[in-house]
Amino acid sequence: NTTCDSCAGGDLLMIASDSTSDCQTYGSCPNGWYSSGASECTQCGSTCVTCSDGITCDACAGGDLLMIANDATSDCQTHGSCPDGWYFSGASECSRCGSTCVTCSDNVTCDTCAVGDLLMIATNASSDCQTHGSCPSGWYSSDANECTQCGATCVTCSDGITCDACAGGDLLMI
C-alpha cells in the first residue's frame, strides 16, 4: 500500500477507495474516478463506471441498475429489476418512489401503500398514500383501502358518477 500526499508537476494524485494514493500521469481523471480537487482524482464506488462525486454514480457496469434516490444521489445495484420502493425510469435506471409508496409506476403514481394506509387516486390519474382512517371530503371509497377524488365541481360524491353536493353555488342536477 502506498500513500502520497502530493505529486510532481502535472501528475494527478489518485486517491483509491481504500484510502491509499498514488501519482499518475493522466490529462484528466480516467473512468471510475472523479475530480476531487486541483490535480486530484478520487475513485468512484466499486460498481460505478463513472461518477460525479463520492455519492453520485453516473453510469454502472454492464447489467447493473443505476439507482437514483430522491435526494439525487445514486449508486449501482446488481438487481434484475427495480426492487419495491423503486420504479424503472429509463435504460438501466431505477428511481425511488415517493416516501409513502410501497410500489409505484412512476414518480407520481403509487400502486400500493403500507398496510392500513389509503391509496389516494386523483382525477389527474396521479396517486399517493395517506394515513387517513377514511376518505376525506371530496373523495369517495372506490375499493378497500382506496379513495378516488370526486369530480372538480363536486364537494362530496358517492362514486365516480354520483355528485352529492356541488361546489361554489353550482346546482345539483338530480
Side-chain angles (χ1 to χ4, degrees):
N1 289 345
T2 59
T3 303
C4 295
D5 295 322
S6 63
C7 299
D11 286 355
L12 294 173
L13 178 62
M14 308 296 288
I15 304 168
S17 55
D18 65 1
S19 297
T20 60
S21 57
D22 195 7
C23 295
Q24 299 289 325
T25 307
Y26 292 108
S28 61
C29 298
N31 276 351
W33 300 76
Y34 65 94
S35 177
S36 55
S39 299
E40 185 176 285
C41 299
T42 299
Q43 191 172 20
C44 298
S46 62
T47 59
C48 295
V49 173
T50 60
C51 61
S52 305
D53 54 41
I55 58 172
T56 308
C57 280
D58 298 322
C60 302
D64 288 352
L65 294 172
L66 181 63
M67 308 294 284
I68 303 169
N70 292 336
D71 62 2
T73 60
S74 54
D75 196 9
C76 299
Q77 300 287 328
T78 54
H79 291 102
S81 60
C82 300
D84 280 355
W86 298 80
Y87 64 93
F88 189 71
S89 57
S92 298
E93 283 185 5
C94 297
S95 293
R96 187 166 265 307
C97 296
S99 61
T100 61
C101 303
V102 173
T103 63
C104 63
S105 303
D106 55 42
N107 63 337
V108 295
T109 310
C110 282
D111 297 324
T112 58
C113 303
V115 173
D117 287 356
L118 295 173
L119 179 63
M120 308 293 287
I121 304 169
T123 54
N124 67 359
S126 65
S127 55
D128 198 7
C129 299
Q130 302 216 3
T131 54
H132 290 96
S134 60
C135 298
S137 181
W139 298 75
Y140 65 94
S141 179
S142 52
D143 205 354
N145 296 319
E146 194 172 279
C147 299
T148 300
Q149 192 173 18
C150 297
T153 59
C154 291
V155 174
T156 60
C157 59
S158 305
D159 54 42
I161 56 173
T162 308
C163 187
D164 299 325
C166 298
D170 290 345
L171 296 175
L172 182 62
M173 304 299 285
I174 301 176

